[in-house]
Amino acid sequence: MYKLRVGISACLLGAQVRFDGGHKRSAFCTQELAQHVEFVPLCPEMGLGLGSPRPAIRLVRQGEGIAAVTSQGGEDLTAPLLAVSQQAMPGMADLSGYILCAKSPSCGMERVRVYGPRGGIKEGVGLFAQTLLTTYPLLPVEEEGRLQDPALRENFILRLFAYHSWQQLMGDGPSPARLIAFHARYKYLLMSHSPDAYARLGRLLGQMQGRPLEAVAAEYIQQLMPALRQLASRAGHSNVLQHLQGYFKRVLSAPQKQELASLIEQYRLGLLPLLAPLTLLRHYLREYPNAYLAQQIYLNPYPDTLKLRTFL
């Protein structure tokens, strides 16, 4: 069994590594997600040997580029911070995701303040974060602040577990049959995010005969991860729920069909969370087993204890 390992800014786990000697402990990461993943903490600024507390670092515009300098004294730390970031990259090849500290000049993923002649503008990316995103463009990456949004949190965790499943497939040794089986399991999850991507990936696998398997696998994951990053809409989920409902049309009574259809419609209208029709569908699946439906990742994309679909 392959461990689901997630990189994380060390301050989010409560380590007192910030410039002011404090931390930014994330309750979600430490209390909920930690039950399901192995965290790999890192603070690139501590990797510079600066200690904590230390002078704050700022991103400063210099001509066409951006430099990382200390707010006191103006020491330019751009080169050493980039070197520390690059040195850390090879050890992250087996990670399934990464959670970054927002607003940090090293770890901020977006809208980091960049200082110039007219003051600070929230337009930058931390130097470590930029290195990570460039080196591993398919890796699920998110900031802890954005994880407060229920939709963004659910999407990140979904991609985290999907990418881990792909890593397991690659680690076990891919084959045409295994790629097709993987695609079959992810059918409805992918359809809820992008029906077009599901169709494109199906065509890719249908035309892989004669092509190098490694090239097909690389093209598959390069399309899968961006597709899953698209937030699934209520319309997308409703469409999938109606497809799943069709598997029970011959076994449910008229009142049961009406109840399920009503829950799906209430979800579509925003009156119920996604968990309501899903719970009934999973109940019917236990009562009327269907092997193909049981394998669908859409029904159980991550542990229920994370309670991610309660607010969708």
Side-chain angles (χ1 to χ4, degrees):
M1 181 65 179
Y2 298 87
K3 289 184 178 179
L4 203 166
R5 304 176 74 237
V6 178
I8 189 169
S9 296
C11 59
L12 300 179
L13 296 183
Q16 295 177 311
V17 296
R18 286 176 57 76
F19 74 95
D20 57 2
H23 61 78
K24 290 192 69 176
R25 182 177 179 274
S26 163
F28 171 69
C29 292
T30 58
Q31 296 175 16
E32 298 181 53
L33 190 54
Q35 300 177 42
H36 306 285
V37 310
E38 174 188 341
F39 280 124
V40 180
L42 175 69
C43 176
E45 294 180 26
M46 289 291 285
L48 296 175
L50 298 178
S52 177
R54 59 182 175 273
I57 297 175
R58 287 182 172 183
L59 295 185
V60 178
R61 186 169 299 284
Q62 293 184 351
E64 297 298 320
I66 293 177
V69 302
T70 58
S71 58
Q72 300 176 10
E75 182 183 1
D76 191 335
L77 298 176
T78 308
L81 187 53
L82 285 173
V84 166
S85 300
Q86 287 289 356
Q87 291 167 8
M89 291 301 109
M92 299 181 179
D94 66 341
L95 297 182
S96 299
Y98 212 104
I99 302 175
L100 295 164
C101 178
K103 303 179 183 179
S104 164
S106 57
C107 294
M109 189 177 79
E110 62 178 22
R111 295 178 56 78
V112 179
R113 193 177 296 276
V114 178
Y115 291 85
R118 299 182 179 179
I121 301 176
K122 295 179 180 180
E123 62 178 5
V125 178
L127 298 190
F128 171 80
Q130 184 63 64
T131 303
L132 177 68
L133 294 167
T134 301
T135 307
Y136 300 105
L138 300 179
L139 185 72
V141 178
E142 194 52 273
E143 289 185 335
E144 104 286 349
R146 285 167 50 92
L147 291 178
Q148 303 307 309
D149 182 297
L152 295 179
R153 176 186 293 194
E154 192 272 346
N155 182 264
F156 172 70
I157 299 301
L158 179 150
R159 289 184 288 124
L160 185 68
F161 279 86
Y163 195 62
H164 179 60
S165 295
W166 178 260
Q167 290 172 312
Q168 289 180 304
L169 173 64
M170 293 296 102
D172 291 338
S175 68
R178 287 177 176 172
L179 286 175
I180 291 171
F182 181 93
H183 187 62
R185 293 196 303 275
Y186 276 84
K187 173 179 179 177
Y188 288 115
L189 182 64
L190 188 50
M191 282 182 62
S192 68
H193 289 259
S194 174
D196 290 341
Y198 170 72
R200 286 197 308 271
L201 288 169
R203 289 193 296 270
L204 170 67
L205 297 185
Q207 299 167 0
M208 65 176 157
Q209 186 174 1
R211 294 189 60 192
L213 185 61
E214 296 77 8
V216 174
E219 188 173 344
Y220 185 92
I221 193 63
Q222 287 166 9
Q223 293 191 46
L224 176 69
M225 297 312 296
L228 292 181
R229 187 163 188 169
Q230 299 178 40
L231 295 181
S233 64
R234 283 189 178 269
H237 278 302
S238 298
N239 177 54
V240 167
L241 292 170
Q242 289 168 351
H243 274 84
L244 300 182
Q245 181 185 24
Y247 285 87
F248 301 102
K249 62 183 179 181
R250 296 183 180 179
V251 295
L252 298 183
S253 66
Q256 288 174 320
K257 292 177 183 177
Q258 183 176 2
E259 180 186 18
L260 181 54
S262 176
L263 287 180
I264 294 173
E265 178 63 10
Q266 289 181 74
Y267 163 73
R268 188 186 69 81
L269 294 173
L271 303 177
L272 288 175
L274 179 60
L275 191 60
L278 272 178
T279 298
L280 188 56
L281 279 166
R282 288 195 282 190
H283 166 72
Y284 287 145
L285 182 58
R286 290 191 297 270
E287 190 169 348
Y288 308 105
N290 180 293
Y292 180 77
L293 198 56
Q295 71 170 347
Q296 289 301 314
I297 299 298
Y298 180 83
L299 293 172
N300 297 283
Y302 35 68
D304 284 343
T305 52
L306 290 172
K307 300 172 288 208
L308 298 173
R309 284 175 160 172
T310 304
F311 304 102
L312 291 183

